[in-house]
Amino acid sequence: MAIACAVIAILKFRPALLLILLAAVISPAGAQRTSEPVVPAVPLANEAPVALLVDITSGQVLHARNPDRRFMPASVTKAMTLYLAFELIEQGRLDPAQIFMMSPDTAREWRRTGSTMFLDAGERVRVDDLLLGIANVSANDGAAVLAAGQAGSVPAWTAAMNEAARALGMSGSHFASPNGFPDEGYTFTTASDLVRLAQAMVTRHRDKFGYYVGRKGFDYKGIAQINHDPLIGRTPGADGIKTGFTNESGFTYLGTARRDGQRLVLVLAGVENGRLRGRLARSYMEWGFAAFDRRRLFAPEAVVGEALVQNGDARDVPLIAGSAVTVNMPRGSTGKLSATIRYEGPLRAPIAAGQEVAVLEVTAPGVAPARIPLYARDDVAVAGPIDRIVNAIAGLFA
């Protein structure tokens, strides 16, 4: 397929607590079984005022309703706390084997407040357990102990959350809490921003995400609790991420599932009750996998096109995607595809192999564009004197 090359600027884009003390009688997995049928469907506006489903493999929006409307995320906030922790571990500034203590001040505010992992004043707990408690039983106390332990105070931690959010381009979000407990609206986000966050979690920190997120439950101090994620154990390929609820926000959800190399991320906000949220999440995700045909345009490592290079030892650089390039078309659609490579150029040397330098935009009638990052296949060094002469001569005959 011919690819047109456009050299342009890229647009910048307190709830009831269930304790299971007799795990042999009631298992976390058994607690999640349901006979409710899953019928693939898009949530109605009165069911979910905010709904967004994105194929992050292709960058294609499959369905969107109010993706940039701000809302209070409730405990979905903890996804940002988890992401920040993953970043700090990667940077060597946090170690899962570290031990933090629940201070008297933290205990006064957060001991047994809302969802909890039952930490007590003066209790020492490993970061590893804190992350598992935050991710799988939504531990408010765990999030506060982690924040104060690593950053010195909760405000210092939330400042780091906001810095990390800005780095991800989450321009519609602000965090004033590590756990999403009601704070008069100072913590807010958008569905689009949460998709950015989910993508960063699963791509930048695949191993940490796989280890900490999406377990069926968490047993700490002999107290077994289940994960209330509506997809885990019910939807094939589901990893979960985070549920949320407060009276102010309603029921919210950020989740993901992967099948056959394709990963979808969904966001729901403003849902009336938890049962409805679960049904919507499952049917929405199934719709995303069932309603589209995937068309492969390029195999893994295939050269998609080239980008012009200025002042380099080569005049252009081959562009490749990070994996096979596929797009979603409504099932049965025969519409024509159009593809354009977009980058701000010419690119300036030096360029490192694997550096993201462009975007492949694929459009078709009736669907949102797919935007796939493209990377330099080769290193391009700064041109030496002879390279400049050769490039100048070649430019005369181009």
Side-chain angles (χ1 to χ4, degrees), residues 79-124:
M80 190 72 228
T81 281
L82 290 169
Y83 174 75
L84 176 56
F86 294 168
E87 288 281 287
L88 293 171
I89 292 170
E90 197 71 20
Q91 296 165 14
R93 298 167 57 193
L94 183 67
D95 189 327
Q98 274 182 273
I99 294 176
F100 293 147
M101 185 184 74
M102 190 181 208
S103 70
D105 287 343
T106 302
R108 273 192 293 272
E109 185 171 4
W110 294 111
R111 182 180 180 274
R112 310 295 194 270
T113 301
S115 301
T116 178
M117 56 189 290
F118 298 94
L119 300 177
D120 293 309
E123 185 170 343
R124 295 162 59 82

Side-chain angles (χ1 to χ4, degrees), residues 116-380:
T116 178
M117 56 189 290
F118 298 94
L119 300 177
D120 293 309
E123 185 170 343
R124 295 162 59 82
V125 56
R126 296 187 309 155
V127 168
D128 186 66
D129 288 322
L130 291 172
L131 295 177
L132 288 169
I134 294 165
N136 299 289
V137 297
S138 199
N140 289 324
D141 49 359
V145 170
L146 175 67
Q150 195 283 331
S153 68
V154 167
W157 178 267
T158 57
M161 291 172 70
N162 288 311
E163 184 178 349
R166 285 191 296 271
L168 292 176
M170 297 174 64
S171 58
S173 299
H174 181 264
F175 300 98
S177 159
N179 54 27
F181 209 74
D183 61 3
E184 300 181 342
Y186 286 101
T187 295
F188 55 81
T189 190
T190 69
S192 296
D193 281 0
L194 288 180
V195 169
R196 289 177 182 267
L197 174 59
Q199 182 165 16
M201 290 179 78
V202 300
T203 57
R204 291 172 60 89
H205 303 291
R206 181 183 307 171
D207 293 342
K208 300 178 192 68
F209 179 84
Y211 177 77
Y212 288 107
V213 178
R215 300 193 179 200
K216 292 182 179 180
F218 180 54
D219 188 328
Y220 186 69
K221 299 200 302 186
I223 302 172
Q225 301 183 66
I226 64 170
N227 188 336
H228 293 287
D229 187 284
L231 298 187
I232 295 172
R234 301 179 183 181
T235 299
D239 299 300
I241 294 184
K242 198 71 201 68
T243 58
F245 166 75
T246 64
N247 290 329
E248 294 84 354
S249 69
F251 288 78
T252 59
Y253 183 56
L254 169 64
T256 180
R258 184 178 185 272
R259 297 182 192 171
D260 300 324
Q262 180 186 25
R263 182 176 287 281
L264 306 186
V265 172
L266 70 81
V267 180
L268 297 171
V271 182
E272 184 178 346
N273 60 68
R275 183 179 179 84
L276 177 61
R277 175 183 61 188
R279 177 174 64 78
L280 296 179
R282 293 187 291 274
S283 63
Y284 200 23
M285 186 66 82
E286 292 296 343
W287 175 84
F289 284 115
F292 298 87
D293 288 322
R294 300 183 75 206
R295 296 191 188 178
R296 174 179 282 202
L297 306 185
F298 296 95
E301 302 301 320
V303 175
V304 174
E306 296 178 334
L308 298 174
V309 178
Q310 181 178 7
N311 197 33
D313 62 358
R315 298 187 62 232
D316 48 51
V317 61
L319 302 175
I320 61 174
S323 59
V325 176
T326 59
V327 296
N328 298 280
M329 295 290 291
R331 194 168 291 282
S333 170
T334 58
K336 275 191 168 185
L337 297 176
S338 175
T340 305
I341 294 174
R342 302 185 182 276
Y343 63 102
E344 186 177 358
L347 304 177
R348 293 179 177 273
I351 300 168
Q355 180 179 337
E356 183 178 335
V357 294
V359 170
L360 175 67
E361 183 176 275
V362 184
T363 59
V367 294
R371 296 183 175 89
I372 299 99
L374 296 178
Y375 307 89
R377 188 191 66 180
D378 307 325
D379 292 322
V380 180

